[in-house]
Amino acid sequence: MSSPVLILSKPVLAALSEGRPVIALESTIISHGMPYPQNVETALACERLAREHGAEPATVAVLGGKLHAGLTADQIEYLGKAGTKIRKASRRDLPLMAARGEDGATTVAATMLVSALAGIPVFATGGIGGVHRGAETTMDVSADLEELARTPVAVVCAGAKSILDLGLTLEYLETRGVPVIGYRTDELPAFFTRHSGFPLPQRAETPEEIAAAIRAQRAMGYPGGMLVANPIPGEYEMPRAAISQAIEDALADARRQGVTGKDVTPFLLSAVVRLTGGESLKSNIQLVYNNVRLAAHIAACL
Ligand code: PSU
Ligand code: MN
């Protein structure tokens, strides 16, 4: 069901109306999260991987002011090539962008919102935004956390990067009543690494179990989504010392340059890629693939 504000691609519309599995994918990770051309290659590979695992991919973006679920390869190429020239679009940005017919790459928050409008229950990304270090003075808390509290979409991620304050991120999710489920782990994964030292309240062993939890959440009329934390496969993990050092250096750079607001996360991500000589990008790509596979399995069970 397309509407004046929402456009579903033909394959996504067909899959939804036939009751086949569909998973959403975001586009800020394409325009702001990775360099070109790896961003486009990764986005297209995620789509192929979803299909191989039986789910139709719905990559989400704002184009000409319309919310799109399901993009063409040319549209993905456009978002990747334009990179940070494309607006990073979160929930707050959508109304005026629609009025003005603008283009934007959707964050986790905006992608969840579009997924819910389109009727897509599962969404795969790399990492979510969270509570930034120093948030007690900056109040920089990602809109992704609020969206998880209010919008009924299950988000599969590899945890949150330790550019964030992981402890405060978990506290915030607890306060807002968001189910946070470790997939075969008792610990919040730290994106580039499997372990953060922060225990999770619950774990699940199979995609079936997670799908059953999503169905139960719906049946309870429970407003809000779910966070599924899926650790990066061990063979693609970054060495812990190297990544910690890169993150500390990136944070120091951001402070020196006075980076604030929505520029913080993209700045830190590209600094970490540079400081690790590109190694972190390889891990980033693999953990996204791992999340796409799990999201497709969950969608197939729903
Ligand atoms: N984490 C990543 N790569 C990304 C992002 C997060 O590993 O590209 C993006 C997501 O789109 C997420 C956004 O929604 O950054 C969070 O931005 P902020 O911290 O400004 O809310
Ligand atoms: Mn922020």
Side-chain angles (χ1 to χ4, degrees), residues 12 34 53 90 101 134 143 215 238 301:
V12 168
M34 289 184 192
H53 288 82
S90 196
R215 275 196 301 270
M238 292 285 294
C301 298

Side-chain angles (χ1 to χ4, degrees), residues 26 28-29 32-33 88 106-109 125-130 132 140-144 161 164 191 261-262 265-266 269 284:
E26 58 144 324
T28 291
I29 190 172
H32 297 259
K88 177 177 162 187
T106 50
T107 62
V108 168
T125 184
I128 57 159
H132 279 265
D140 190 350
V141 177
S142 175
D144 295 352
K161 278 166 299 296
L164 300 168
F191 197 79
K262 68 181 166 63
T265 298
L269 282 172
N284 196 344

Side-chain angles (χ1 to χ4, degrees), residues 3-279:
S3 78
V5 291
L6 174 67
I7 297 183
L8 305 185
S9 70
K10 278 212 182 82
V12 168
L13 184 58
L16 286 172
S17 50
E18 291 159 24
R20 284 186 281 119
V22 180
I23 64 166
L25 300 166
E26 58 144 324
S27 49
T28 291
I29 190 172
I30 303 174
S31 298
H32 297 259
M34 289 184 192
Y36 181 80
Q38 290 93 336
N39 55 0
V40 172
E41 288 160 14
T42 304
L44 295 174
C46 283
E47 295 212 330
R48 281 194 299 274
L49 200 56
R51 289 197 184 98
E52 278 166 30
H53 288 82
E56 184 60 35
T59 303
V60 170
V62 185
L63 294 169
K66 309 273 190 209
L67 309 176
H68 282 253
L71 302 182
T72 63
D74 286 345
Q75 288 168 329
I76 288 175
E77 169 74 21
Y78 160 68
L79 291 169
K81 204 163 192 177
T84 53
K85 289 201 272 300
I86 297 281
R87 176 186 281 274
K88 177 177 162 187
S90 196
R91 165 185 273 264
R92 61 158 186 204
D93 303 302
L94 302 179
L96 191 60
M97 290 181 69
R100 299 174 67 166
E102 290 175 359
D103 296 341
T106 50
T107 62
V108 168
T111 304
M112 286 182 72
L113 190 153
V114 174
S115 303
L117 288 175
I120 301 168
V122 186
F123 161 23
T125 184
I128 57 159
V131 179
H132 279 265
R133 298 194 196 176
E136 60 278 16
T137 50
T138 62
M139 290 185 70
D140 190 350
V141 177
S142 175
D144 295 352
L145 301 184
E146 282 300 304
E147 205 66 45
L148 281 162
R150 76 213 286 184
T151 301
V153 174
V155 179
V156 181
C157 72
K161 278 166 299 296
S162 42
I163 58 173
L164 300 168
D165 188 320
L166 300 183
L168 290 187
T169 299
L170 285 174
E171 290 293 349
Y172 199 91
L173 289 165
E174 178 178 339
T175 301
R176 302 294 280 120
V178 177
V180 179
I181 299 176
Y183 182 64
R184 299 183 183 165
T185 182
D186 294 311
E187 235 181 276
L188 179 68
F191 197 79
F192 298 117
T193 54
R194 294 177 61 81
H195 301 286
S196 68
F198 290 95
L200 290 178
Q202 288 177 304
R203 68 181 271 164
E205 305 305 323
T206 62
E208 287 80 9
E209 236 176 1
I210 296 168
I214 293 170
R215 275 196 301 270
Q217 192 181 25
R218 293 293 170 281
M220 292 169 191
Y222 201 135
M226 178 183 290
L227 192 64
V228 179
N230 184 30
I232 184 172
E235 67 260 47
Y236 301 116
E237 254 190 317
M238 292 285 294
R240 211 199 271 230
I243 195 67
S244 304
Q245 189 58 54
I247 286 170
E248 291 300 334
D249 293 349
L251 285 164
D253 273 2
R255 265 194 304 274
R256 262 197 305 277
Q257 298 185 37
V259 181
T260 57
K262 68 181 166 63
D263 298 329
V264 172
T265 298
F267 179 95
L268 293 174
L269 282 172
S270 69
V272 168
V273 172
R274 180 168 39 78
L275 291 164
T276 59
E279 283 304 308

